[in-house]
Amino acid sequence: MAGDATTRDERIAGRERNPKWQNPPLFIDMLDCINCDACLRHCPPNFGAIFNHGPDVVIIPELCSGCDKCLPVCPVDCIHPIDGWTPQHDVPVDWWTLPHSEHDPY
Ligand code: SF4
Ligand code: SF4
């Protein structure tokens, strides 16, 4: 445990979701995503959960509060909740190189 994970920096450092968040994090179905980046532009910077990752657009669930602000802007409706998410749901480890890198848009 890295702490309360109440700030984005803490969540990134600890790779840990804020345990107080009630809504499940979201994921992007890459088969349907058309890489328009609309969701990325609408994710609040204090969460900053969506990244361009090579040709894909990805959501790091530990950074995603489930605020759903990205949902209405997706033109193909390919963003979905991860039902039953737990911290054991590992994301590919290279996704964690994106926050605080030159690819971090927040
Ligand atoms: S639900 Fe909110 S925090 Fe999660 S990716 Fe969408 S806009 Fe960002
Ligand atoms: S808004 Fe939808 S289609 Fe556009 S990049 Fe995000 S997930 Fe992909």
Side-chain angles (χ1 to χ4, degrees):
M1 296 282 283
D4 293 339
T6 52
T7 70
R8 184 175 187 256
D9 284 348
E10 287 170 346
R11 291 188 282 278
I12 292 168
R15 300 188 178 186
E16 185 184 4
R17 203 165 184 253
N18 185 334
K20 296 197 173 105
W21 287 344
Q22 299 293 316
N23 293 340
L26 307 187
F27 76 98
I28 293 171
D29 186 338
M30 296 179 195
L31 292 175
D32 292 334
C33 173
I34 58 170
N35 300 28
C36 70
D37 287 357
C39 56
L40 194 151
R41 291 194 299 274
H42 285 77
C43 186
N46 55 318
F47 302 133
I50 311 181
F51 299 87
N52 278 301
H53 179 254
D56 298 321
V57 182
V58 300
I59 297 175
I60 296 182
E62 284 83 352
L63 303 183
C64 171
S65 68
C67 73
D68 290 355
K69 290 208 163 42
C70 54
L71 283 180
V73 301
C74 178
V76 296
D77 204 15
C78 71
I79 309 176
H80 310 286
I82 306 175
D83 292 325
W85 183 87
T86 72
Q88 282 72 47
H89 279 68
D90 290 329
V91 299
V93 74
D94 61 325
W95 290 14
W96 281 110
T97 64
L98 300 169
H100 290 170
S101 77
E102 72 270 28
H103 303 293
D104 191 337
Y106 303 101

